[in-house]
Amino acid sequence: MAPTADKAREDGRQEMRIDGYTKFWQKDANKEAEVDTTIRLDSYSDVVNGYYDGATELYEYGWAKCFHFSRFYKGESFAASLARHEHYLSSNMQLRAGMRVLDVGCGVGGPAREIAQFSDANIVGLNNNDFQVHRARKYTKKAGLENQVTFVKGDFMKLAEQFGENSFDAVYAIEATCHAPTWEGVYGEIMKVLKPGGVFGVYEWCMTDAWDPSNPKHKELQHQIELGNGIPEMRTIRKSREALLSVGFEIEHEEDLADRPDEIRWYYPLEGDLSKAQTLWDLFTVWRMSWSGKFVTHSALWVFEKIGMLPKGTVDVGETLKIAADALVKGGQTKLFTPMYLVISRKPIQN
């Protein structure tokens, strides 16, 4: 088990937590045992925080301030695609002015700011990572949205304890609740804090129902996605659906958006193929995932870590991101994985 962090930087990152992140996994999936998964689930907060302490700045550099995937129309820019994905969720949830909305696992607040401006709703972003909360507040103040979008530190497995029951008109989660030790647990907490009749919208990370845990290649893919993305345990679409229903949600709409026949696939920016860039500016985003882009990034990280500009262990986390990129592309190509299982569900008016 990874050691508990005891050295915190001024920005909230904890060096031993980052340095201990990879210790939660066996490098060889064939050596993974049930006990390894149990330890990760029991220590989900350290797993997730260790990952994001090391990966947040890399996400912002290599991706954007919106830590999620999206569908693409031909010729659509990367930034426009991310925003449209957020607008699509907001529209399906019918978010509007006057609503109090919780963003569960808000990252550095990119989607919260975009959805707030799109819907005029008031957004509360929840995050258990000090470093990300600090950055979210900074970016939101710079955007002049601090009166409409606020951020708090908290555990999404203890929402009712922090906010009280029946306290939000709507809740959404964008590629965040996959980090929970159980979906029943986090969905149950979301159910509690929603007002009767309130709506919950989620883009969930799932192995598709085509994934077969008895297939060694499928199991290896699952292992790589978990290791590369700070996820204690990947689960299937079927289990997500079952968990929502088991805690009492009424599902109004569900769809795996990754299964749509898009000409430009959701994972194309991870492939590092410059010929696939949709706009001139997107060349830079795609290049960062090419072999030369990865080499430059790795070299820079190694230097910055050596001179103390980055916490110890950042390079190791960066290496897991390479594993993640390859695994996510493979998962998308084989349709064994989706980052956008969309579900719109509602808390019954009467339980």
Side-chain angles (χ1 to χ4, degrees), residues 24-26 28-34 36-37 40 223 226:
F24 282 103
W25 278 269
Q26 300 288 338
D28 184 350
N30 294 322
K31 295 181 180 179
E32 276 272 304
E34 187 174 334
D36 296 304
T37 301
R40 288 198 297 271
H223 174 75
E226 291 170 348

Side-chain angles (χ1 to χ4, degrees), residues 256-278:
D256 177 9
L257 296 182
D259 200 36
R260 291 195 182 184
D262 297 325
E263 181 178 349
I264 311 301
R265 305 303 297 173
W266 61 265
Y267 51 81
Y268 103 81
L270 294 178
E271 293 179 293
D273 184 346
L274 297 180
S275 69
K276 293 184 179 181
Q278 296 297 291

Side-chain angles (χ1 to χ4, degrees), residues 167-188:
S167 53
F168 290 96
D169 299 296
V171 179
Y172 68 81
I174 300 178
E175 302 184 22
T177 45
C178 56
H179 294 290
T182 69
W183 274 332
E184 290 82 1
V186 68
Y187 294 162

Side-chain angles (χ1 to χ4, degrees), residues 9 14-23 50-51 53-55 58 301 305-306 310-320:
R9 296 166 71 95
Q14 298 182 7
E15 296 198 4
M16 287 183 66
R17 189 163 62 188
I18 302 172
D19 197 32
Y21 169 72
T22 57
K23 295 181 176 65
Y51 178 75
D53 277 357
L58 299 177
L301 290 178
E305 184 176 311
K306 284 295 182 183
L310 289 173
K312 184 180 179 183
T314 302
V315 171
D316 286 342
V317 173
E319 289 301 295
T320 70

Side-chain angles (χ1 to χ4, degrees), residues 264-265 267-280 282-294 325-326 329 333:
I264 311 301
R265 305 303 297 173
Y267 51 81
Y268 103 81
L270 294 178
E271 293 179 293
D273 184 346
L274 297 180
S275 69
K276 293 184 179 181
Q278 296 297 291
T279 68
L280 183 62
D282 292 343
L283 280 170
F284 188 48
T285 298
V286 176
W287 170 79
R288 283 175 289 202
M289 296 309 300
S290 67
W291 72 267
S292 59
K294 290 177 182 178
D326 292 341
V329 169
Q333 291 172 339

